[in-house]
Amino acid sequence: MENQEGTQQPHLVLAHELFLLTHHDVQDIEKVRLKEEVLTAIKSDDMVPLYETLVAESLLEKDQGLLDSMRAKNEDELKNLDEKEPYHVMRDPSAVKKELQMEIATLAHLIVQMGFWLFYRIADAEENLGESEVREAHLAKSLFYIRIGDKDKALEQLKVTEGKTVAVGQRMDLVFYTLQLGFFYMDFDLISKSIDKAKNLFEEGGDWERKNRLKVYEGLYCLSTRNFKKAADLFLDSISTFTTYELFPYDTFIFYTVLTSIISLDRVSLKQKVVDAPEILTVIGKIPHLSEFLNSLYDCQYKSFFSAFAGLTEQIKLDRYLHPHFRYYMREVRTVVYSQFLESYKSVTIEAMAKAFGVTVEFIDLELSRFIAAGKLHCKIDKVAGVLETNRPDAKNALYQATIKQGDFLLNRIQKLSRVIDL
């Protein structure tokens, strides 16, 4: 899972292609192309476990010759990795030490002839068993299992590598490898535990570059688990320091940032952190419909907003991380925009609202009735007069009622306590 700066991790690209391959909205002709790309990626990395899984799910046709060839390549490469490990890597340390001591005894008679420098050289070899080489050998095997898609062995080998790793930064890199595995398989339990582990490691130290990278990983986890508010906060904190290209390109990062911010931030914060953010302004124009989606909402151009919103739905639906939350996100966005429109009025005709959004009266009537029934909008519909009347809750009155309720609860607790004391 090695990657160059600015390049998305190939296995995450493959994961997205696999997602599209099983998506019912993707056309069959497109699926033919995706199937070829998936098979090419599997062949290039000899991903036997993934190939067997896809064959079992009838997504790929079984080619026994290809399967045998990939298995043979993996066995040869694993054998080479074992052979290239330092002499002591695959053996018991106590046995290695005993053999070294025997060799020292055997060669002891040469000390007199060759001088005392040989003694110091052998002693140095015994003390310095090459711990960095041991770690690198185990890491190479971990990356091999990751590359071929063997999740269980990869996690096991990463744990072994961690046991050979001392530096906090290198241990953090191992956590990032684990997180990438988690996102490939969408294993949220593994991702959550790895994020917690990374945060604990940062208490021991760690550089800011890795800390900022972890924010993006955690933000993507929050996005994938429908915690859009926290995802927006983490993404916004990482805009100026983004280096996590292994997860997704910067354009995609901005796409996620804008989408999560729109349903999470108030108008003032949205203006300061998103609408006027220079990092977002330099990229947002490259993403279809996104600029119009953001700016039309802030400028209260609701007809343009709905038009841009319709254009973005396909991108959201075909996104691997957003797809499970498609319906939820659509509802939340509409709640935001309807609330913003109604905020300016004490009462407004349904016809005027329908005209502002560029839709029919029947559509608005049906939409609002659902949101009102769900408690998402604070208004009521006068069907006879064709008018919407807002009944926004009074914040001061709500605070007063809450204070009275808490006061009653406290008095009851004091009375119960006084009875106990009297006894």
Side-chain angles (χ1 to χ4, degrees):
M1 280 195 171
E2 295 290 352
N3 61 280
Q4 297 177 350
E5 184 176 353
T7 304
Q8 188 177 7
Q9 212 290 316
H11 279 197
L12 293 180
V13 176
L14 174 61
H16 183 63
E17 290 174 342
L18 288 171
F19 164 74
L20 294 177
L21 192 59
T22 57
H23 201 294
H24 61 273
D25 286 340
V26 176
Q27 296 181 353
D28 291 340
I29 190 169
E30 179 68 13
K31 287 184 177 181
V32 172
R33 183 189 65 81
L34 287 168
K35 189 177 292 188
E36 292 176 354
E37 291 182 0
V38 167
L39 188 58
T40 300
I42 289 174
K43 288 179 180 178
S44 65
D45 285 336
D46 300 315
M47 303 178 73
V48 172
L50 179 61
Y51 181 73
E52 291 176 330
T53 300
L54 296 178
V55 168
E57 294 175 355
S58 301
L59 291 175
L60 293 178
E61 297 173 0
K62 187 173 182 179
D63 184 339
Q64 191 61 46
L66 172 62
L67 187 58
D68 293 339
S69 173
M70 291 193 296
R71 281 176 177 163
K73 289 179 182 178
N74 287 342
E75 289 172 3
D76 290 343
E77 187 168 349
L78 188 58
K79 184 178 179 181
N80 290 333
L81 284 171
D82 291 341
E83 289 176 352
K84 288 178 181 179
E85 289 180 350
Y87 176 69
H88 53 278
V89 170
M90 299 300 294
R91 307 179 65 184
D92 183 73
S94 61
V96 173
K97 186 173 183 180
K98 186 179 292 184
E99 290 184 15
L100 285 172
Q101 290 172 342
M102 289 175 64
E103 290 178 9
I104 291 171
T106 304
L107 297 174
H109 69 279
L110 295 177
I111 295 177
V112 176
Q113 299 176 11
M114 301 180 66
F116 287 100
W117 66 272
L118 181 59
F119 173 81
Y120 291 117
R121 185 178 178 184
I122 293 172
D124 182 65
E126 185 177 3
E127 292 175 4
N128 300 291
L129 298 179
E131 292 182 358
S132 61
E133 287 80 4
V134 175
R135 179 192 177 277
E136 291 302 318
H138 282 295
L139 178 60
K141 190 177 288 188
S142 301
L143 296 179
F144 165 75
Y145 284 129
I146 291 172
R147 179 172 62 79
I148 67 171
D150 195 329
K151 179 186 176 184
D152 293 335
K153 288 186 178 179
L155 291 174
E156 181 182 342
Q157 193 62 40
L158 282 168
K159 190 174 293 185
V160 173
T161 307
E162 183 184 3
K164 304 290 182 182
T165 306
V166 177
V168 174
Q170 291 179 333
R171 289 161 67 189
M172 271 302 309
D173 290 339
L174 296 177
V175 175
F176 285 132
Y177 285 128
T178 306
L179 284 168
Q180 290 171 30
L181 265 177
F183 281 117
F184 181 84
Y185 292 100
M186 297 297 266
D187 185 342
F188 296 125
D189 183 56
L190 176 63
I191 295 170
S192 177
K193 290 178 179 177
S194 298
I195 289 173
D196 291 340
K197 185 177 183 179
K199 290 179 178 179
N200 291 332
L201 281 174
F202 281 135
E203 293 179 2
E204 302 176 21
D207 58 86
W208 283 104
E209 191 269 337
R210 288 185 175 92
K211 287 183 179 180
N212 289 328
R213 285 177 63 197
L214 181 64
K215 286 183 181 180
V216 180
Y217 277 87
E218 186 177 4
L220 182 58
Y221 167 70
C222 292
L223 174 75
S224 304
T225 54
R226 203 177 284 183
N227 189 349
F228 293 128
K229 177 69 172 69
K230 189 173 182 180
D233 292 340
L234 289 166
F235 286 153
L236 288 168
D237 284 346
S238 308
I239 282 185
S240 59
T241 57
F242 179 83
T243 57
T244 322
Y245 297 101
E246 67 271 17
L247 285 184
F248 35 61
Y250 191 64
D251 291 5
T252 304
F253 172 69
I254 295 299
F255 177 68
Y256 291 153
T257 303
V258 172
L259 290 186
T260 53
S261 297
I262 279 179
I263 62 173
S264 303
L265 303 181
D266 56 62
R267 278 181 59 83
V268 175
S269 299
L270 190 69
K271 174 71 170 174
Q272 293 174 346
K273 298 180 179 180
V274 182
V275 176
D276 292 339
E279 296 88 354
I280 292 178
L281 289 173
T282 56
V283 176
I284 195 170
K286 301 176 185 178
I287 305 169
H289 309 291
L290 190 61
S291 178
E292 185 181 5
F293 180 66
L294 173 64
N295 291 305
S296 59
L297 173 64
Y298 185 78
D299 295 335
C300 302
Q301 302 295 323
Y302 300 113
K303 194 171 184 179
S304 298
F305 174 83
F306 258 37
S307 175
F309 188 32
L312 277 176
T313 54
E314 193 71 11
Q315 295 181 54
I316 298 172
K317 192 184 296 184
L318 296 180
D319 185 274
R320 181 168 175 251
Y321 304 106
L322 288 171
H323 171 72
H325 318 294
F326 174 71
R327 291 183 179 276
Y328 174 83
Y329 185 81
M330 300 286 279
R331 287 195 300 270
E332 290 300 304
V333 168
R334 282 162 23 224
T335 300
V336 168
V337 70
Y338 292 150
S339 297
Q340 180 175 289
F341 176 85
L342 294 171
E343 189 73 24
S344 306
Y345 300 95
K346 186 173 180 61
S347 64
V348 62
T349 63
I350 300 176
E351 185 178 356
M353 186 173 181
K355 186 176 181 181
F357 282 91
V359 296
T360 64
V361 172
E362 291 76 13
F363 176 82
I364 282 292
D365 183 41
L366 182 62
E367 278 275 278
L368 295 184
S369 61
R370 290 173 179 171
F371 285 107
I372 293 170
K376 295 285 187 180
L377 294 176
H378 301 289
C379 64
K380 60 181 180 180
I381 301 174
D382 185 341
K383 190 75 172 178
V384 176
V387 173
L388 289 167
E389 296 180 2
T390 60
N391 54 357
R392 290 183 291 275
D394 186 344
K396 289 185 179 180
N397 186 51
L399 181 60
Y400 173 75
Q401 295 295 334
T403 304
I404 294 297
K405 187 175 181 179
Q406 291 173 1
D408 288 341
F409 177 75
L410 180 60
L411 286 173
N412 290 333
R413 293 293 299 272
I414 291 173
Q415 288 175 356
K416 289 179 181 179
L417 182 60
S418 65
R419 294 194 196 102
V420 174
I421 294 173
D422 290 342
L423 291 174

